[in-house]
Amino acid sequence: MPSPLADPVKLPCGLVLPNRLSKAAMAEMIAKTNKPNQTLSDAYDQWSQGGWGSILTGNVQVDVNHLGSPFDPALHAEYKGEENLVAQWKHYADACQKHGTPAIVQICHPGRQSFRVAGHRGIWANTIAPSAVPINLGSGLLERFIAALAWTAPREMTRAEVERVISQFVDTARLMADAGFSGVELHGAHGYLIDQFLSGKTNLRTDEYGGTPEKRARFVLEILSQTRKVVPTTFCIGIKLNSADHSSDTFEETMTQIKLLVEAGIDFMEISGGTYEDPKMMGYPTKTETESTTAPVKSERTAAREAFFLEFAKEVRKRHPGLVLMLTGGFRSRAGAESAIRDGACDLVGIGRPAAIDPKFPLLLLDESVEDEKAALQLNKVPPPFYARWLPRNLIGAGAESTYYSGQIQRLAKGLATVAPAL
């Protein structure tokens, strides 16, 4: 029986993805001058050969003055159709799509989460945000010290600044279209600027961009509507949301905002958070668990997050059955990916870390001659660095994982063998 993962998916804009497996966005940490370069193209050339249905790039920032990491590619100035700039990005797009896989660029603004050392604005300049809500790592002295060291205090954006950033998103999308990419994904997750506008915790505005769920969504809805006017009709526009950024208290507010995005004509929505690592997420035990009585037990907190992730995804599917939905988070096996599709939880499966270790992972998952038990790539957690004991716990895991896998992407670019995390 053919795998449902091999089915093509047609987006509302008309773009056809040849299968349901998407290489998810990951930080590459390669663009040393904040411009696409040959090393970045070489990494994506590896993925272009991997049999993916779509390739999502790592963050492309819409303003070089505000970066998520020091080595993100970014728009350096207002885009006016410069041929040399288009050629620079076209080289990157061609590498991504060399073998026919559509490539979608994740475009982003970090807002208050732009590190002091990330961006051309200077280490003392304020970050910008919908409201002047500082990042809170905790109430302890160490947590407050690290937060002050890493980030400057955010400044509430003026109306003119809101309009300028909207234009920067639109300019970046137009440049990506002119360069030949197949689409963009608006990064509305992980606490970045779009997410900051959507959330009532970080958006305390009382003007037309805040105060209600609908007004908090206006920022991203204007980006979407203005971008539609300047890109080809077949150019896709998706959005990434993270269920972990929300809670049961704001569930209906979030659903209201998703409804507005669907009505505005979003081509796909990626939901990240929790894990669909294997069929047990769908209520089915794995082969290992049926043979062992020592399977690891998740913490109550992890189980609660995963339960909310599933509730979030399934409720979006229930309310918007026509929305093309991508789930990303913990997929490691054919069985897990197929379970998510057959359960109706999603249309597309986003795969991140396994793609950094094996850029041709889809070829394994789609090979019908390979047994289900072998169509998988299980990965250990990245061990924390020796100095982790002195850092706030919520910074350790994500930082170690991101750094490790960006290192593997750099190895891919150099043609070196990748290394999965050791025990």
Side-chain angles (χ1 to χ4, degrees), residues 30 35-45 91 95 413:
I30 287 175
K35 298 176 182 179
N37 54 31
Q38 187 60 50
T39 305
L40 192 62
S41 294
D42 288 343
Y44 279 85
D45 178 75
H91 183 71

PDB file of all heavy atoms in Angstrom, residues 30 35-45 91 95 413:
ATOM      1  N   ILE A  30      25.220  30.709   9.015  1.00  0.00           N
ATOM      2  CA  ILE A  30      26.205  30.654   7.932  1.00  0.00           C
ATOM      3  C   ILE A  30      26.456  32.011   7.283  1.00  0.00           C
ATOM      4  O   ILE A  30      27.557  32.277   6.806  1.00  0.00           O
ATOM      5  CB  ILE A  30      25.750  29.637   6.858  1.00  0.00           C
ATOM      6  CG1 ILE A  30      25.915  28.201   7.390  1.00  0.00           C
ATOM      7  CG2 ILE A  30      26.515  29.800   5.558  1.00  0.00           C
ATOM      8  CD1 ILE A  30      25.375  27.135   6.465  1.00  0.00           C
ATOM      9  N   LYS A  35      24.259  38.174   4.207  1.00  0.00           N
ATOM     10  CA  LYS A  35      23.819  38.027   2.827  1.00  0.00           C
ATOM     11  C   LYS A  35      23.926  36.557   2.443  1.00  0.00           C
ATOM     12  O   LYS A  35      24.771  35.838   2.981  1.00  0.00           O
ATOM     13  CB  LYS A  35      24.696  38.874   1.890  1.00  0.00           C
ATOM     14  CG  LYS A  35      24.650  40.360   2.167  1.00  0.00           C
ATOM     15  CD  LYS A  35      25.616  41.106   1.252  1.00  0.00           C
ATOM     16  CE  LYS A  35      25.605  42.612   1.556  1.00  0.00           C
ATOM     17  NZ  LYS A  35      26.561  43.356   0.693  1.00  0.00           N
ATOM     18  N   PRO A  36      23.079  36.096   1.526  1.00  0.00           N
ATOM     19  CA  PRO A  36      23.228  34.709   1.083  1.00  0.00           C
ATOM     20  C   PRO A  36      24.585  34.526   0.423  1.00  0.00           C
ATOM     21  O   PRO A  36      25.051  35.401  -0.313  1.00  0.00           O
ATOM     22  CB  PRO A  36      22.072  34.527   0.087  1.00  0.00           C
ATOM     23  CG  PRO A  36      21.735  35.904  -0.364  1.00  0.00           C
ATOM     24  CD  PRO A  36      22.008  36.804   0.803  1.00  0.00           C
ATOM     25  N   ASN A  37      25.232  33.403   0.695  1.00  0.00           N
ATOM     26  CA  ASN A  37      26.562  33.164   0.149  1.00  0.00           C
ATOM     27  C   ASN A  37      26.656  31.739  -0.397  1.00  0.00           C
ATOM     28  O   ASN A  37      25.706  30.969  -0.334  1.00  0.00           O
ATOM     29  CB  ASN A  37      27.631  33.419   1.218  1.00  0.00           C
ATOM     30  CG  ASN A  37      27.383  32.633   2.499  1.00  0.00           C
ATOM     31  OD1 ASN A  37      26.820  31.537   2.464  1.00  0.00           O
ATOM     32  ND2 ASN A  37      27.794  33.173   3.628  1.00  0.00           N
ATOM     33  N   GLN A  38      27.835  31.403  -0.925  1.00  0.00           N
ATOM     34  CA  GLN A  38      27.998  30.088  -1.538  1.00  0.00           C
ATOM     35  C   GLN A  38      27.854  28.969  -0.521  1.00  0.00           C
ATOM     36  O   GLN A  38      27.312  27.903  -0.828  1.00  0.00           O
ATOM     37  CB  GLN A  38      29.371  30.002  -2.216  1.00  0.00           C
ATOM     38  CG  GLN A  38      29.566  28.726  -3.031  1.00  0.00           C
ATOM     39  CD  GLN A  38      28.541  28.587  -4.143  1.00  0.00           C
ATOM     40  OE1 GLN A  38      28.326  29.520  -4.919  1.00  0.00           O
ATOM     41  NE2 GLN A  38      27.891  27.421  -4.235  1.00  0.00           N
ATOM     42  N   THR A  39      28.322  29.197   0.701  1.00  0.00           N
ATOM     43  CA  THR A  39      28.209  28.162   1.734  1.00  0.00           C
ATOM     44  C   THR A  39      26.747  27.845   2.023  1.00  0.00           C
ATOM     45  O   THR A  39      26.360  26.680   2.171  1.00  0.00           O
ATOM     46  CB  THR A  39      28.924  28.609   3.020  1.00  0.00           C
ATOM     47  OG1 THR A  39      30.273  28.957   2.716  1.00  0.00           O
ATOM     48  CG2 THR A  39      28.919  27.492   4.064  1.00  0.00           C
ATOM     49  N   LEU A  40      25.928  28.873   2.113  1.00  0.00           N
ATOM     50  CA  LEU A  40      24.495  28.672   2.347  1.00  0.00           C
ATOM     51  C   LEU A  40      23.875  27.908   1.171  1.00  0.00           C
ATOM     52  O   LEU A  40      23.093  26.972   1.364  1.00  0.00           O
ATOM     53  CB  LEU A  40      23.809  30.024   2.537  1.00  0.00           C
ATOM     54  CG  LEU A  40      22.372  30.016   3.064  1.00  0.00           C
ATOM     55  CD1 LEU A  40      22.296  29.411   4.454  1.00  0.00           C
ATOM     56  CD2 LEU A  40      21.802  31.432   3.082  1.00  0.00           C
ATOM     57  N   SER A  41      24.244  28.283  -0.046  1.00  0.00           N
ATOM     58  CA  SER A  41      23.735  27.588  -1.229  1.00  0.00           C
ATOM     59  C   SER A  41      24.176  26.135  -1.249  1.00  0.00           C
ATOM     60  O   SER A  41      23.403  25.241  -1.632  1.00  0.00           O
ATOM     61  CB  SER A  41      24.209  28.294  -2.503  1.00  0.00           C
ATOM     62  OG  SER A  41      23.637  29.580  -2.620  1.00  0.00           O
ATOM     63  N   ASP A  42      25.407  25.877  -0.822  1.00  0.00           N
ATOM     64  CA  ASP A  42      25.913  24.504  -0.811  1.00  0.00           C
ATOM     65  C   ASP A  42      25.124  23.628   0.160  1.00  0.00           C
ATOM     66  O   ASP A  42      24.860  22.445  -0.118  1.00  0.00           O
ATOM     67  CB  ASP A  42      27.398  24.486  -0.438  1.00  0.00           C
ATOM     68  CG  ASP A  42      28.290  25.024  -1.544  1.00  0.00           C
ATOM     69  OD1 ASP A  42      27.822  25.117  -2.699  1.00  0.00           O
ATOM     70  OD2 ASP A  42      29.455  25.365  -1.252  1.00  0.00           O
ATOM     71  N   ALA A  43      24.748  24.197   1.298  1.00  0.00           N
ATOM     72  CA  ALA A  43      23.943  23.434   2.256  1.00  0.00           C
ATOM     73  C   ALA A  43      22.589  23.080   1.655  1.00  0.00           C
ATOM     74  O   ALA A  43      22.119  21.932   1.744  1.00  0.00           O
ATOM     75  CB  ALA A  43      23.765  24.228   3.545  1.00  0.00           C
ATOM     76  N   TYR A  44      21.954  24.043   1.018  1.00  0.00           N
ATOM     77  CA  TYR A  44      20.628  23.796   0.453  1.00  0.00           C
ATOM     78  C   TYR A  44      20.685  22.942  -0.810  1.00  0.00           C
ATOM     79  O   TYR A  44      19.705  22.269  -1.150  1.00  0.00           O
ATOM     80  CB  TYR A  44      19.896  25.123   0.228  1.00  0.00           C
ATOM     81  CG  TYR A  44      19.287  25.606   1.519  1.00  0.00           C
ATOM     82  CD1 TYR A  44      20.041  26.339   2.434  1.00  0.00           C
ATOM     83  CD2 TYR A  44      17.990  25.271   1.865  1.00  0.00           C
ATOM     84  CE1 TYR A  44      19.509  26.734   3.651  1.00  0.00           C
ATOM     85  CE2 TYR A  44      17.439  25.671   3.074  1.00  0.00           C
ATOM     86  CZ  TYR A  44      18.216  26.402   3.965  1.00  0.00           C
ATOM     87  OH  TYR A  44      17.687  26.783   5.174  1.00  0.00           O
ATOM     88  N   ASP A  45      21.819  22.935  -1.478  1.00  0.00           N
ATOM     89  CA  ASP A  45      21.994  22.014  -2.598  1.00  0.00           C
ATOM     90  C   ASP A  45      21.884  20.572  -2.112  1.00  0.00           C
ATOM     91  O   ASP A  45      21.337  19.701  -2.811  1.00  0.00           O
ATOM     92  CB  ASP A  45      23.355  22.248  -3.254  1.00  0.00           C
ATOM     93  CG  ASP A  45      23.614  21.276  -4.391  1.00  0.00           C
ATOM     94  OD1 ASP A  45      23.028  21.446  -5.463  1.00  0.00           O
ATOM     95  OD2 ASP A  45      24.400  20.318  -4.179  1.00  0.00           O
ATOM     96  N   HIS A  91      20.738  33.023  -6.923  1.00  0.00           N
ATOM     97  CA  HIS A  91      21.718  31.937  -6.797  1.00  0.00           C
ATOM     98  C   HIS A  91      21.324  31.005  -5.661  1.00  0.00           C
ATOM     99  O   HIS A  91      21.421  29.773  -5.782  1.00  0.00           O
ATOM    100  CB  HIS A  91      23.107  32.524  -6.556  1.00  0.00           C
ATOM    101  CG  HIS A  91      24.193  31.508  -6.489  1.00  0.00           C
ATOM    102  ND1 HIS A  91      24.636  30.809  -7.585  1.00  0.00           N
ATOM    103  CD2 HIS A  91      24.917  31.042  -5.432  1.00  0.00           C
ATOM    104  CE1 HIS A  91      25.595  29.959  -7.218  1.00  0.00           C
ATOM    105  NE2 HIS A  91      25.775  30.080  -5.921  1.00  0.00           N
ATOM    106  N   ALA A  95      19.808  27.037  -6.017  1.00  0.00           N
ATOM    107  CA  ALA A  95      20.404  25.916  -5.300  1.00  0.00           C
ATOM    108  C   ALA A  95      19.342  25.124  -4.549  1.00  0.00           C
ATOM    109  O   ALA A  95      19.349  23.888  -4.542  1.00  0.00           O
ATOM    110  CB  ALA A  95      21.474  26.416  -4.326  1.00  0.00           C
ATOM    111  N   ALA A 413      27.258  21.721   4.345  1.00  0.00           N
ATOM    112  CA  ALA A 413      27.692  22.689   3.335  1.00  0.00           C
ATOM    113  C   ALA A 413      29.112  22.413   2.856  1.00  0.00           C
ATOM    114  O   ALA A 413      29.445  22.683   1.699  1.00  0.00           O
ATOM    115  CB  ALA A 413      27.589  24.103   3.905  1.00  0.00           C
TER     116      ALA A 413
END
